[in-house]
Amino acid sequence: MHDITPEQLYQVIGKNVAKHRKAKGLSQLDLSLQMGYKSVSVVSGAEICYSNKHFNLEQLLRISQILDIELCNFFKQEA
């Protein structure tokens, strides 16, 4: 993972959040509401890195708690 750009890392994280969110049966709106947001814009934008949007560490910690998964799972690249 040492040959990865920050943008690529944000894409990996976004894809992993989406994968784990869907595996738990949550919509983007469900996750957003549980995170304390009133719309899906934060989650939807960060999952696909739209306009350089990405999750910060506080958001990732909260998502890992909501989804009941280890924080490190968001950083794993698919083989």
Side-chain angles (χ1 to χ4, degrees):
M1 202 173 202
H2 57 280
D3 291 333
I4 189 170
T5 66
E7 292 78 20
Q8 291 169 323
L9 178 59
Y10 293 140
Q11 290 174 351
V12 167
I13 292 168
K15 287 178 184 176
N16 284 329
V17 168
K19 177 178 75 173
H20 291 290
R21 172 183 59 74
K22 291 173 186 175
K24 295 288 183 172
L26 292 178
S27 69
Q28 289 178 334
L29 180 59
D30 294 331
L31 181 58
S32 296
L33 292 173
Q34 289 186 43
M35 291 174 68
Y37 299 108
K38 295 181 182 183
S39 74
V40 300
S41 62
V42 170
V43 172
S44 64
E47 281 187 356
I48 61 170
C49 297
Y50 178 75
S51 294
N52 294 321
K53 290 185 180 170
H54 53 82
F55 296 109
N56 64 37
L57 288 175
E58 184 178 333
Q59 291 166 329
L60 288 175
L61 176 61
R62 184 71 186 121
I63 294 168
S64 73
Q65 293 166 340
I66 292 167
L67 300 180
D68 193 30
I69 63 171
E70 295 292 325
L71 187 62
C72 63
N73 288 325
F74 296 133
F75 298 92
K76 295 179 179 177
Q77 283 185 295
E78 297 285 322

